[in-house]
Amino acid sequence: MTATDSALTGLSQGWCALSLLHGRIESHIERALQAAHGLSVREYSLLDVLSRQHDGPGGHLQMKQVADAVVLSQSATTRLVTRLEERGLLARYLCPTDRRGIYTNVSEAGLALLEEARPTNAGALRKALDAAALNPELAPLVTAVEQLGAEAAAR
C-alpha cells in the first residue's frame, strides 16, 4: 500500500463517518418532527429557508436557490412546495415586476408551525449529537459541528 492509497483510505473512512453522522442526525430529527408536528426534515428545512426571505432587492429566492438550500432537485422542490401549499403552509404568487417569476412565501399558519417546530428540531439535533459523541469514530465530527455552530452564533 502506498502513501496515496492510505490517504485515500483515510479520506474514504472520514467520508463514511460523516455520512453515518448525517444519516443518524437526519433520522432522529425526522422522527421527532413527524411525531410532534407532522413535518418531514425536508418540509421543515423548506419552511425555514423560505421564512428567511424578505421583500426588496434579492429578498425572494428563485426555485433553484431554494432547491440548492434544501438539497433537492428543482422538480422535487416544486413537488414539496405544492404539498406544503395544499396544506396551507405556503402561498405562491406572481412576481409583480416579472410575470414569469413566481414567489413562494410561508403563510401565517406555516410560520406558526415553524416556530412551534424549532425547539423540537433543536432538541432532536442536540440528542442526536450527544448520542453520536459517544461513538469514538463520530466524536471528532460532533466536535467540529459544535464548533461551527458556535462560530455561526458568534457572527
Side-chain angles (χ1 to χ4, degrees):
M1 181 183 274
T2 67
T4 303
D5 291 339
S6 63
L8 288 175
T9 299
L11 185 60
S12 178
Q13 289 171 340
W15 171 247
C16 287
L18 181 60
S19 182
L20 176 63
L21 178 63
H22 177 268
R24 285 185 181 183
I25 290 171
E26 188 170 61
S27 177
H28 190 82
I29 294 172
E30 179 82 25
R31 287 189 304 273
L33 287 172
Q34 280 290 349
H37 310 285
L39 283 174
S40 70
V41 169
R42 296 285 188 228
E43 291 168 337
Y44 175 89
S45 297
L46 182 68
L47 289 172
D48 185 53
V49 165
L50 291 176
S51 75
R52 298 172 198 276
Q53 297 184 121
H54 57 85
D55 289 328
H60 280 86
L61 300 173
Q62 297 174 346
M63 198 54 73
K64 176 165 179 16
Q65 294 169 302
V66 174
D68 289 346
V70 296
V71 193
L72 289 172
S73 68
Q74 280 187 261
S75 61
T77 301
T78 299
R79 288 190 301 274
L80 184 57
V81 165
T82 300
R83 280 197 313 270
L84 291 176
E85 184 179 33
E86 288 170 354
R87 289 175 57 188
L89 302 175
L90 296 177
R92 285 189 255 199
Y93 64 95
L94 291 176
C95 170
T97 58
D98 180 0
R99 308 282 301 166
R100 296 169 297 171
I102 298 174
Y103 288 162
T104 304
N105 279 337
V106 181
S107 68
E108 290 300 319
L111 289 172
L113 181 58
L114 179 61
E115 287 309 309
E116 183 183 302
R118 282 188 202 281
T120 302
N121 183 71
L125 174 59
R126 181 73 266 159
K127 266 184 147 171
L129 286 171
D130 289 347
L134 300 175
N135 179 330
E137 183 181 17
L138 301 179
L141 294 172
V142 171
T143 300
V145 168
E146 290 170 338
Q147 288 173 341
L148 287 170
E151 290 172 11
R155 284 186 229 139

